[in-house]
PDB file of all heavy atoms in Angstrom:
ATOM      1  N   PHE H  27     -27.665   7.099  18.749  1.00  0.00           N
ATOM      2  CA  PHE H  27     -27.001   6.806  17.478  1.00  0.00           C
ATOM      3  C   PHE H  27     -27.062   7.989  16.507  1.00  0.00           C
ATOM      4  O   PHE H  27     -28.143   8.474  16.182  1.00  0.00           O
ATOM      5  CB  PHE H  27     -27.616   5.569  16.806  1.00  0.00           C
ATOM      6  CG  PHE H  27     -26.870   5.187  15.578  1.00  0.00           C
ATOM      7  CD1 PHE H  27     -25.803   4.307  15.642  1.00  0.00           C
ATOM      8  CD2 PHE H  27     -27.185   5.749  14.350  1.00  0.00           C
ATOM      9  CE1 PHE H  27     -25.071   3.981  14.513  1.00  0.00           C
ATOM     10  CE2 PHE H  27     -26.457   5.435  13.208  1.00  0.00           C
ATOM     11  CZ  PHE H  27     -25.400   4.550  13.305  1.00  0.00           C
ATOM     12  N   PHE H  72     -22.399   5.258   0.498  1.00  0.00           N
ATOM     13  CA  PHE H  72     -21.791   5.427   1.815  1.00  0.00           C
ATOM     14  C   PHE H  72     -21.426   4.087   2.416  1.00  0.00           C
ATOM     15  O   PHE H  72     -21.752   3.030   1.887  1.00  0.00           O
ATOM     16  CB  PHE H  72     -22.725   6.228   2.728  1.00  0.00           C
ATOM     17  CG  PHE H  72     -23.974   5.498   3.161  1.00  0.00           C
ATOM     18  CD1 PHE H  72     -24.011   4.845   4.381  1.00  0.00           C
ATOM     19  CD2 PHE H  72     -25.103   5.459   2.361  1.00  0.00           C
ATOM     20  CE1 PHE H  72     -25.147   4.167   4.800  1.00  0.00           C
ATOM     21  CE2 PHE H  72     -26.253   4.793   2.773  1.00  0.00           C
ATOM     22  CZ  PHE H  72     -26.267   4.147   4.000  1.00  0.00           C
ATOM     23  N   GLU H  73     -20.726   4.154   3.532  1.00  0.00           N
ATOM     24  CA  GLU H  73     -20.334   2.966   4.290  1.00  0.00           C
ATOM     25  C   GLU H  73     -20.589   3.201   5.773  1.00  0.00           C
ATOM     26  O   GLU H  73     -20.810   4.344   6.198  1.00  0.00           O
ATOM     27  CB  GLU H  73     -18.834   2.666   4.101  1.00  0.00           C
ATOM     28  CG  GLU H  73     -18.539   1.755   2.943  1.00  0.00           C
ATOM     29  CD  GLU H  73     -19.297   0.440   3.020  1.00  0.00           C
ATOM     30  OE1 GLU H  73     -19.396  -0.145   4.113  1.00  0.00           O
ATOM     31  OE2 GLU H  73     -19.814  -0.007   1.981  1.00  0.00           O
ATOM     32  N   GLY H  74     -20.559   2.136   6.538  1.00  0.00           N
ATOM     33  CA  GLY H  74     -20.668   2.242   7.992  1.00  0.00           C
ATOM     34  C   GLY H  74     -19.687   1.267   8.599  1.00  0.00           C
ATOM     35  O   GLY H  74     -19.665   0.090   8.208  1.00  0.00           O
ATOM     36  N   MET H  75     -18.838   1.734   9.458  1.00  0.00           N
ATOM     37  CA  MET H  75     -17.880   0.844  10.132  1.00  0.00           C
ATOM     38  C   MET H  75     -17.652   1.361  11.534  1.00  0.00           C
ATOM     39  O   MET H  75     -18.165   2.426  11.894  1.00  0.00           O
ATOM     40  CB  MET H  75     -16.576   0.771   9.327  1.00  0.00           C
ATOM     41  CG  MET H  75     -15.988   2.121   9.019  1.00  0.00           C
ATOM     42  SD  MET H  75     -15.042   2.089   7.507  1.00  0.00           S
ATOM     43  CE  MET H  75     -13.489   1.594   8.134  1.00  0.00           C
ATOM     44  N   ARG H  96     -16.322  -2.687  -0.408  1.00  0.00           N
ATOM     45  CA  ARG H  96     -17.768  -2.567  -0.660  1.00  0.00           C
ATOM     46  C   ARG H  96     -18.132  -1.163  -1.139  1.00  0.00           C
ATOM     47  O   ARG H  96     -19.008  -0.989  -1.995  1.00  0.00           O
ATOM     48  CB  ARG H  96     -18.553  -2.961   0.590  1.00  0.00           C
ATOM     49  CG  ARG H  96     -20.034  -3.138   0.311  1.00  0.00           C
ATOM     50  CD  ARG H  96     -20.791  -3.638   1.516  1.00  0.00           C
ATOM     51  NE  ARG H  96     -20.739  -2.688   2.612  1.00  0.00           N
ATOM     52  CZ  ARG H  96     -21.329  -2.883   3.789  1.00  0.00           C
ATOM     53  NH1 ARG H  96     -21.993  -4.006   4.013  1.00  0.00           N
ATOM     54  NH2 ARG H  96     -21.249  -1.983   4.741  1.00  0.00           N
ATOM     55  N   TYR H 138     -18.706   5.133  15.578  1.00  0.00           N
ATOM     56  CA  TYR H 138     -19.264   4.789  14.264  1.00  0.00           C
ATOM     57  C   TYR H 138     -18.582   5.679  13.222  1.00  0.00           C
ATOM     58  O   TYR H 138     -18.438   6.892  13.428  1.00  0.00           O
ATOM     59  CB  TYR H 138     -20.775   5.023  14.263  1.00  0.00           C
ATOM     60  CG  TYR H 138     -21.437   4.597  12.979  1.00  0.00           C
ATOM     61  CD1 TYR H 138     -21.697   3.254  12.720  1.00  0.00           C
ATOM     62  CD2 TYR H 138     -21.798   5.531  12.014  1.00  0.00           C
ATOM     63  CE1 TYR H 138     -22.303   2.854  11.531  1.00  0.00           C
ATOM     64  CE2 TYR H 138     -22.398   5.139  10.830  1.00  0.00           C
ATOM     65  CZ  TYR H 138     -22.648   3.804  10.597  1.00  0.00           C
ATOM     66  OH  TYR H 138     -23.243   3.409   9.418  1.00  0.00           O
ATOM     67  N   ARG H 140     -18.443   7.016   9.270  1.00  0.00           N
ATOM     68  CA  ARG H 140     -19.271   7.151   8.072  1.00  0.00           C
ATOM     69  C   ARG H 140     -18.452   7.711   6.897  1.00  0.00           C
ATOM     70  O   ARG H 140     -18.294   8.922   6.754  1.00  0.00           O
ATOM     71  CB  ARG H 140     -20.461   8.058   8.403  1.00  0.00           C
ATOM     72  CG  ARG H 140     -21.360   8.447   7.234  1.00  0.00           C
ATOM     73  CD  ARG H 140     -21.862   7.293   6.405  1.00  0.00           C
ATOM     74  NE  ARG H 140     -22.658   6.294   7.103  1.00  0.00           N
ATOM     75  CZ  ARG H 140     -23.974   6.310   7.255  1.00  0.00           C
ATOM     76  NH1 ARG H 140     -24.660   7.305   6.769  1.00  0.00           N
ATOM     77  NH2 ARG H 140     -24.605   5.318   7.861  1.00  0.00           N
ATOM     78  N   TYR H 170     -27.702   0.805  18.549  1.00  0.00           N
ATOM     79  CA  TYR H 170     -28.685   1.359  17.609  1.00  0.00           C
ATOM     80  C   TYR H 170     -30.090   1.010  18.096  1.00  0.00           C
ATOM     81  O   TYR H 170     -30.983   1.850  18.114  1.00  0.00           O
ATOM     82  CB  TYR H 170     -28.444   0.769  16.209  1.00  0.00           C
ATOM     83  CG  TYR H 170     -29.221   1.465  15.119  1.00  0.00           C
ATOM     84  CD1 TYR H 170     -28.704   2.582  14.483  1.00  0.00           C
ATOM     85  CD2 TYR H 170     -30.470   0.999  14.724  1.00  0.00           C
ATOM     86  CE1 TYR H 170     -29.416   3.231  13.486  1.00  0.00           C
ATOM     87  CE2 TYR H 170     -31.187   1.631  13.724  1.00  0.00           C
ATOM     88  CZ  TYR H 170     -30.651   2.750  13.109  1.00  0.00           C
ATOM     89  OH  TYR H 170     -31.357   3.387  12.117  1.00  0.00           O
ATOM     90  N   LYS H 195     -24.671   0.193  -1.341  1.00  0.00           N
ATOM     91  CA  LYS H 195     -25.043   1.040  -0.205  1.00  0.00           C
ATOM     92  C   LYS H 195     -25.211   2.451  -0.786  1.00  0.00           C
ATOM     93  O   LYS H 195     -24.379   3.335  -0.612  1.00  0.00           O
ATOM     94  CB  LYS H 195     -23.955   0.977   0.879  1.00  0.00           C
ATOM     95  CG  LYS H 195     -24.564   0.857   2.267  1.00  0.00           C
ATOM     96  CD  LYS H 195     -23.601   0.368   3.294  1.00  0.00           C
ATOM     97  CE  LYS H 195     -24.031   0.721   4.697  1.00  0.00           C
ATOM     98  NZ  LYS H 195     -25.370   0.313   5.098  1.00  0.00           N
ATOM     99  N   TYR H 200     -32.071   3.797   0.552  1.00  0.00           N
ATOM    100  CA  TYR H 200     -32.600   4.078   1.890  1.00  0.00           C
ATOM    101  C   TYR H 200     -33.794   5.033   1.780  1.00  0.00           C
ATOM    102  O   TYR H 200     -34.791   4.875   2.481  1.00  0.00           O
ATOM    103  CB  TYR H 200     -31.486   4.625   2.796  1.00  0.00           C
ATOM    104  CG  TYR H 200     -30.469   3.532   3.107  1.00  0.00           C
ATOM    105  CD1 TYR H 200     -29.489   3.173   2.181  1.00  0.00           C
ATOM    106  CD2 TYR H 200     -30.541   2.805   4.291  1.00  0.00           C
ATOM    107  CE1 TYR H 200     -28.597   2.133   2.421  1.00  0.00           C
ATOM    108  CE2 TYR H 200     -29.651   1.768   4.548  1.00  0.00           C
ATOM    109  CZ  TYR H 200     -28.677   1.440   3.608  1.00  0.00           C
ATOM    110  OH  TYR H 200     -27.808   0.404   3.849  1.00  0.00           O
ATOM    111  N   GLY H 233     -34.496  -3.351   7.050  1.00  0.00           N
ATOM    112  CA  GLY H 233     -34.127  -2.018   6.596  1.00  0.00           C
ATOM    113  C   GLY H 233     -32.758  -1.568   7.065  1.00  0.00           C
ATOM    114  O   GLY H 233     -32.077  -0.800   6.382  1.00  0.00           O
ATOM    115  N   THR H 234     -32.320  -2.060   8.214  1.00  0.00           N
ATOM    116  CA  THR H 234     -31.050  -1.588   8.781  1.00  0.00           C
ATOM    117  C   THR H 234     -30.042  -2.713   8.944  1.00  0.00           C
ATOM    118  O   THR H 234     -28.964  -2.500   9.484  1.00  0.00           O
ATOM    119  CB  THR H 234     -31.303  -0.994  10.181  1.00  0.00           C
ATOM    120  OG1 THR H 234     -32.084  -1.948  10.923  1.00  0.00           O
ATOM    121  CG2 THR H 234     -32.049   0.323  10.114  1.00  0.00           C
ATOM    122  N   MET H 235     -30.391  -3.922   8.488  1.00  0.00           N
ATOM    123  CA  MET H 235     -29.512  -5.067   8.768  1.00  0.00           C
ATOM    124  C   MET H 235     -29.895  -6.281   7.913  1.00  0.00           C
ATOM    125  O   MET H 235     -31.042  -6.373   7.445  1.00  0.00           O
ATOM    126  CB  MET H 235     -29.608  -5.428  10.259  1.00  0.00           C
ATOM    127  CG  MET H 235     -31.035  -5.597  10.743  1.00  0.00           C
ATOM    128  SD  MET H 235     -31.206  -5.376  12.516  1.00  0.00           S
ATOM    129  CE  MET H 235     -32.952  -5.790  12.695  1.00  0.00           C
ATOM    130  N   GLY H 301     -25.684  -6.214  11.567  1.00  0.00           N
ATOM    131  CA  GLY H 301     -25.288  -4.999  10.857  1.00  0.00           C
ATOM    132  C   GLY H 301     -24.238  -4.255  11.661  1.00  0.00           C
ATOM    133  O   GLY H 301     -24.063  -4.534  12.850  1.00  0.00           O
ATOM    134  N   THR H 302     -23.571  -3.314  11.018  1.00  0.00           N
ATOM    135  CA  THR H 302     -22.553  -2.551  11.746  1.00  0.00           C
ATOM    136  C   THR H 302     -23.214  -1.728  12.838  1.00  0.00           C
ATOM    137  O   THR H 302     -22.818  -1.785  14.001  1.00  0.00           O
ATOM    138  CB  THR H 302     -21.783  -1.640  10.772  1.00  0.00           C
ATOM    139  OG1 THR H 302     -21.122  -2.483   9.835  1.00  0.00           O
ATOM    140  CG2 THR H 302     -20.754  -0.787  11.502  1.00  0.00           C
ATOM    141  N   ALA H 303     -24.231  -0.957  12.463  1.00  0.00           N
ATOM    142  CA  ALA H 303     -24.903  -0.128  13.464  1.00  0.00           C
ATOM    143  C   ALA H 303     -25.687  -1.005  14.435  1.00  0.00           C
ATOM    144  O   ALA H 303     -25.614  -0.839  15.648  1.00  0.00           O
ATOM    145  CB  ALA H 303     -25.837   0.865  12.778  1.00  0.00           C
ATOM    146  N   ALA H 304     -26.421  -1.972  13.904  1.00  0.00           N
ATOM    147  CA  ALA H 304     -27.318  -2.797  14.735  1.00  0.00           C
ATOM    148  C   ALA H 304     -26.565  -3.863  15.531  1.00  0.00           C
ATOM    149  O   ALA H 304     -27.121  -4.421  16.469  1.00  0.00           O
ATOM    150  CB  ALA H 304     -28.359  -3.453  13.847  1.00  0.00           C
TER     151      ALA H 304
HETATM  152  C1  COI L 401     -24.802   0.494   9.115  1.00  0.00           C
HETATM  153  O1  COI L 401     -25.103  -0.477   9.809  1.00  0.00           O
HETATM  154  O2  COI L 401     -23.649   0.948   9.108  1.00  0.00           O
HETATM  155  C2  COI L 401     -25.777   1.170   8.271  1.00  0.00           C
HETATM  156  O3  COI L 401     -25.395   1.852   7.383  1.00  0.00           O
HETATM  157  C3  COI L 401     -27.210   1.031   8.561  1.00  0.00           C
HETATM  158  C4  COI L 401     -27.860   2.279   9.006  1.00  0.00           C
HETATM  159  C5  COI L 401     -29.095   1.862   9.704  1.00  0.00           C
HETATM  160  C6  COI L 401     -27.108   3.120   9.961  1.00  0.00           C
END
Side-chain angles (χ1 to χ4, degrees):
F27 185 90
F72 70 96
E73 270 305 318
M75 53 208 273
R96 192 175 63 180
Y138 184 78
R140 173 52 60 90
Y170 191 87
K195 223 162 159 54
Y200 291 79
T234 50
M235 51 203 185
T302 298

